[in-house]
Amino acid sequence: MTSTKVLHEYVERLKAANPAWVADLKDTYGEVTVIVPRESIADVCQFLKAENGFDMLADLNGADRGPEEDPRFEVVYHLFSTKHFNRLRLKVLLSEDDPHVLTVTSVWKTANWHERETFDMFGVIFDGHPDLRRILLPSDFDGHALRKDYPLRGYEPYSLT
Amino acid sequence: MSVAVENIPSKFEVLDQALESQMTLSMGPQHPSTHGVLRLELQLDGELVIKAVPDIGYLHTGMEKLFEYKKYQQGIVITDRMDYLNPLGNNLAYVMAAEKLLNLEIPERAQIIRVLFCELQRIASHMVWLGTHALDIGAMSPFFYAFRQREKILNLIEAASGGRMTPSYFRIGGLMMDLPAGFERRCKQFLEDFPDALDQFETLVSGNTIWQSRTKGIGVITAEEAIEWGLTGPCLRGSGVSLDLRRDNPYSGYETYDFEVPVEPDGDVWARFRVRMRELYESYKIVVQALERLKPGPIKADAPKVVLPDRDDMRKHMDSLIHHFLIVAEGFNVPEGEVYHAIEGSKGELGCYLRSNGGPKPDRVHFRGPSFINLQALPVMSEGEMVADVVAIIGSLDIVLGEIDR
């Protein structure tokens, strides 16, 4: 992970395919982050998977920038290739009022549980997900635990009864 | 002695029709073969599994939330408790992610010791897998032989770090402390016996015909499906995909070691078993090489604001004392940014997504637990198999619920 020149080539290909796909680009700590408009995330993933060899979704997770920020939520996709072993990070920014993003379960099946976890922890809604329900927390849990405004110990002691 | 037929009460009516052949079985969360608190809902037709739905979260303790309230160095302790069979691997993923943000240069001796311990830990983790996997399928004695070897490794880890299951040995910028006197001799003692023990496992388990018939052709997943489901580690290599981050995305100097990446093409339980058995030998080879390379030298990076000073320095130098106080009381600030660092854990790609907002506590920590993703493919492997084979398939995935639920 010394040079990010290779990674920038993929970004160039993305731009060539559709300039609207790359909203912003960051190159930090030897890792390249592409900020993608939320309506085109599934298309971008499909393009990178089908034509650029990023055949594995290594990780998908959410992040909360804090209740005063706008856009508040981030959904972070870590793409990996089992052929050329490069990693690329995609990111979608979402506002608190409308935390909807298209699912990528149609691109990688592994996104299923990742998206359920992100929904569980942040309340991000993945449109088109086949089975969007809580995964780690109980189904009657109130709130989304990893949001910054959710207190560390919860609102009240949780009881199983 | 004849019984009059008309005396039988009417509620014992004889049913002359087929019973419902389908049933839903809830397996776990306390079932010993689910390796923790995994619950499976199985839709069965006779003994055939039609549908399997894993239900997880019984061990959820909000670790990713807790990270945000702890200083960077306190987070290391939390990582120990995720995959409790591979704590040093978790330490390494977290610590290396933080070091990437801090841009620290790790001394060579520390890197070699890290590799040494990661491979010892991998052997220990595979020993637990082998023992419990065999126990699930019905072979009891491999469990004792495997745990005997694991015990020796845990003693080595204890000698170095003071902890057996929760060592927290790797610190941001290096190691907790140098190896104790006589460690190399003890490690060599273990290494002398280990190849014989491996042979013993081969004769005990691999050559066993019952074992082979329980594992061959069971729980097949193809290479394309395995990539699609995000499988990594031995599960992916058991499907014929040669991917090992130690070789393909090297870290900690793994590129300088001579080892092979075992691959088996079949994608069944047997293939995953063979990959892990062969990996044990490769890990042994790496440990031997690492031991040979050990030379005296510093074990902590030259970053006084991040790395705790030596006790001796604190008695002599005022600035060391100040740095120690500040690191312990206030922590150290980490530059703003986000990194994802992935290592090859004992179960697959162990990734740590670390995000800093410039303060002494992380903004967001996310662990890509390989067990979490590998378990997701369980329905694909087990649908269409017998219910008894589900136990074998869970064993071959080598899951740890502490990492799945976090």
Side-chain angles (χ1 to χ4, degrees):
Chain A
M1 269 177 235
T2 45
S3 164
T4 55
K5 204 186 262 178
V6 194
L7 297 172
H8 281 289
E9 273 173 33
Y10 296 114
V11 180
E12 288 306 317
R13 278 188 223 169
L14 266 181
K15 274 185 191 160
N18 188 344
W21 280 353
V22 182
D24 200 0
L25 178 66
K26 272 188 232 160
D27 183 349
T28 49
Y29 304 103
E31 298 177 11
V32 170
T33 311
V34 182
I35 297 179
V36 180
R38 65 171 176 170
E39 58 277 5
S40 46
I41 182 69
D43 295 336
V44 171
C45 289
Q46 185 60 47
F47 175 77
L48 286 170
K49 185 191 177 191
E51 295 175 37
N52 293 289
F54 285 100
D55 49 1
M56 188 185 273
L57 180 71
D59 194 12
L60 189 163
N61 61 283
D64 183 3
R65 294 174 165 185
E68 62 284 335
E69 297 282 327
D70 193 60
R72 179 175 171 182
F73 297 113
E74 294 179 358
V75 182
V76 190
Y77 303 77
H78 291 99
L79 274 55
F80 180 61
S81 167
T82 58
K83 295 179 186 78
H84 49 71
F85 312 122
N86 286 317
R87 286 178 192 277
L88 189 66
R89 183 187 296 130
L90 306 179
K91 199 183 264 189
V92 175
L93 306 178
L94 302 172
S95 70
E96 190 179 356
D97 317 323
D98 186 21
H100 286 262
V101 63
L102 279 176
T103 177
V104 293
T105 43
S106 52
V107 187
W108 296 282
K109 285 173 186 158
T110 177
N112 190 327
W113 277 20
H114 286 299
E115 289 184 351
R116 276 178 67 187
E117 192 195 345
T118 311
F119 162 72
D120 195 355
M121 295 298 168
F122 293 97
V124 173
I125 294 160
F126 293 88
D127 293 326
H129 189 285
D131 183 24
L132 195 66
R133 55 195 168 93
R134 288 185 184 271
I135 183 164
L136 293 177
L137 297 172
S139 54
D140 58 345
F141 193 83
D142 191 21
H144 299 284
L146 275 178
R147 288 190 176 189
K148 292 281 181 197
D149 50 3
Y150 191 88
L152 178 64
R153 297 192 173 191
Y155 293 114
E156 56 189 61
Y158 185 78
S159 154
L160 285 172
T161 51
Chain B
M1 290 283 286
S2 64
V3 181
V5 176
E6 56 268 21
N7 287 353
I8 296 174
S10 59
K11 64 179 173 181
F12 291 113
E13 236 176 288
V14 179
L15 288 172
D16 191 16
Q17 64 193 53
L19 295 167
E20 282 278 330
S21 66
Q22 289 205 0
M23 70 178 289
T24 310
L25 180 72
S26 180
M27 187 171 151
Q30 275 88 23
H31 196 282
S33 74
T34 56
H35 292 215
V37 283
L38 165 70
R39 182 170 155 262
L40 285 175
E41 270 189 46
L42 300 172
Q43 183 82 40
L44 302 175
D45 187 353
E47 276 200 66
L48 217 61
V49 178
I50 303 172
K51 210 167 161 39
V53 181
D55 182 13
I56 59 173
Y58 288 90
L59 212 57
H60 179 68
T61 38
M63 287 178 184
E64 290 182 3
K65 182 86 174 167
L66 194 56
F67 273 114
E68 295 169 13
Y69 291 80
K70 298 286 175 196
K71 293 176 203 116
Y72 281 91
Q73 69 269 36
Q74 291 175 315
I76 301 170
V77 184
I78 309 174
T79 62
D80 279 341
R81 282 139 180 93
M82 289 188 158
D83 180 353
Y84 42 77
L85 298 182
N86 183 28
L88 287 164
N90 297 350
N91 287 175
L92 189 68
Y94 176 75
V95 153
M96 288 192 81
E99 282 162 2
K100 218 178 197 178
L101 279 171
L102 287 158
N103 198 16
L104 290 182
E105 190 76 40
I106 308 303
E108 203 193 344
R109 181 174 168 87
Q111 295 217 10
I112 294 170
I113 294 176
R114 281 180 178 185
V115 168
L116 177 89
F117 272 99
C118 275
E119 294 310 315
L120 282 175
Q121 187 78 77
R122 189 188 312 275
I123 295 174
S125 169
H126 280 9
M127 284 292 122
V128 177
W129 155 79
L130 179 68
T132 52
H133 188 26
L135 197 62
D136 289 348
I137 298 186
M140 195 176 231
S141 36
F143 184 81
F144 302 110
Y145 286 85
F147 269 61
R148 185 186 292 165
Q149 296 302 321
R150 174 174 182 258
E151 190 63 23
K152 291 179 187 171
I153 296 174
L154 290 190
N155 285 341
L156 288 174
I157 293 171
E158 188 186 16
S161 71
R164 291 160 62 79
M165 296 282 280
T166 52
S168 295
Y169 186 50
F170 304 156
R171 297 293 162 91
I172 296 168
L175 303 172
M176 182 179 89
M177 57 198 286
D178 208 341
L179 294 176
F183 178 84
E184 289 170 45
R185 182 182 50 79
R186 291 179 68 177
C187 194
K188 273 181 190 144
Q189 248 170 20
F190 163 73
L191 291 173
E192 269 171 27
D193 301 341
F194 189 64
D196 290 343
L198 269 182
D199 288 344
Q200 217 168 25
F201 292 131
E202 294 286 2
T203 43
L204 252 178
V205 185
S206 312
N208 188 325
T209 41
I210 300 172
W211 178 269
Q212 291 186 9
S213 55
R214 283 299 305 271
T215 54
K216 279 184 181 169
I218 305 292
V220 178
I221 189 161
T222 62
E224 293 77 39
E225 271 183 323
I227 293 173
E228 181 82 2
W229 284 101
L231 292 191
T232 43
C235 295
L236 183 64
R237 292 193 284 276
S239 291
V241 182
S242 178
L243 173 74
D244 190 320
L245 297 179
R246 288 175 293 172
R247 182 196 63 194
D248 302 326
N249 270 352
Y251 52 89
S252 257
Y254 264 113
E255 64 274 17
T256 57
Y257 292 87
D258 172 34
F259 64 101
E260 277 165 32
V261 178
V263 176
E264 298 276 339
D266 299 335
D268 54 0
V269 175
W270 172 256
R272 294 190 277 278
F273 164 74
R274 286 308 308 160
V275 166
R276 289 202 182 88
M277 290 303 277
R278 287 168 61 193
E279 251 183 33
L280 283 171
Y281 187 70
E282 302 302 326
S283 291
Y284 160 79
K285 265 164 60 183
I286 297 176
V287 175
V288 171
Q289 292 172 51
L291 257 192
E292 277 168 11
R293 288 181 193 189
L294 272 185
K295 280 187 215 84
I299 51 140
K300 289 174 180 174
D302 182 23
K305 288 207 160 70
V306 175
V307 181
L308 283 179
D310 284 337
R311 281 273 142 189
D312 207 33
D313 283 350
M314 281 164 59
R315 294 195 189 94
K316 293 173 189 157
H317 303 292
M318 187 65 194
D319 50 342
S320 290
L321 197 63
I322 295 171
H323 285 314
H324 183 275
F325 177 76
L326 283 177
I327 293 171
V328 173
E330 288 177 9
F332 47 84
N333 290 343
V334 171
E336 218 171 304
E338 55 183 344
V339 289
Y340 177 80
H341 188 79
I343 66 161
E344 183 76 25
S346 60
K347 294 161 187 69
E349 177 181 327
L350 177 63
C352 176
Y353 172 76
L354 184 60
R355 214 167 97 137
S356 164
N357 52 9
K361 291 172 184 173
D363 192 32
R364 169 95 170 99
V365 180
H366 173 78
F367 268 81
R368 182 228 196 256
S371 302
F372 180 76
I373 290 108
N374 291 354
L375 178 67
Q376 200 185 172
L378 179 72
V380 186
M381 297 177 187
S382 53
E383 280 164 21
E385 303 285 357
M386 296 291 189
V387 67
D389 293 334
V390 174
V391 171
I393 296 167
I394 296 174
S396 78
L397 285 174
D398 191 17
I399 52 168
V400 164
L401 267 295
E403 178 177 67
I404 293 170
D405 295 343
R406 297 185 295 273

